[in-house]
Amino acid sequence: MEQQVHFLTLATADLDAARRFYVDGLGWTPLLDVPGEIVFFQVAPGTVLAFFEAGSFARDLGTGPARPEVSGVTLAHDVADRDAVTALTGRMAAAGGTVLTAPEEGAFGGVFHALVRDPNGVVWEVAHNPGWSVGPDGTVRLS
């Protein structure tokens, strides 16, 4: 197996709230949107983030009507500077997100970040990390 991930699929209890947050609030463009079922966003070359209605997600997994739980997961979005962390955190809150941690110094590495939960409980870290870079060939560098 090659070391790559193509799809990240998250169960969502309220697909319409997810759509409002990401499309209306943050201005993301769906790659494919199936009302009542799933919405896909291309988030990087060859990588898609999908929000799948929780009941359909559970049936797809063969677990019946129970709502799947996700815990201990954050999605991260790195920005160019500290001001961008503050601005995006505000935009996410205005779109219906809940700020869990206001923009602040991180515990290590010179990171400045905030944590915001979307309307369905997905936690995003918005960060400026001076040790993060992506080379022209797409290789991530962490220092």
Side-chain angles (χ1 to χ4, degrees):
M1 180 176 162
E2 294 180 39
Q3 185 174 320
Q4 54 186 287
V5 174
H6 298 103
F7 281 84
L8 303 167
T9 303
L10 304 176
T12 182
D14 188 338
L15 185 59
D16 291 331
R19 186 178 294 104
R20 283 190 303 274
F21 183 79
Y22 292 98
V23 175
D24 300 335
L26 299 183
W28 287 20
T29 302
L31 180 65
L32 176 65
D33 189 347
V34 181
E37 183 86 13
I38 194 166
V39 60
F40 297 92
F41 300 98
Q42 183 167 349
V43 294
T47 306
V48 174
L49 175 63
F51 294 92
F52 199 178
E53 189 279 321
S56 297
F57 184 94
R59 283 187 296 280
D60 196 48
L61 292 178
T63 60
R67 179 176 178 206
E69 294 292 326
V70 176
S71 101
V73 174
T74 60
L75 302 179
H77 180 79
D78 284 350
V79 296
D81 56 44
R82 292 167 178 251
D83 290 341
V85 171
T86 301
L88 182 53
T89 300
R91 186 170 176 195
M92 293 173 91
T98 302
V99 176
L100 302 176
T101 304
E104 67 178 11
E105 296 292 332
F108 59 89
V111 173
F112 184 76
H113 69 145
L115 294 171
V116 181
R117 183 177 52 228
D118 84 356
N120 281 290
V122 177
V123 177
W124 283 89
E125 177 184 28
V126 179
H128 168 62
N129 182 346
W132 159 268
S133 65
V134 180
D137 67 350
T139 301
V140 172
R141 291 174 182 81
L142 296 171
S143 58

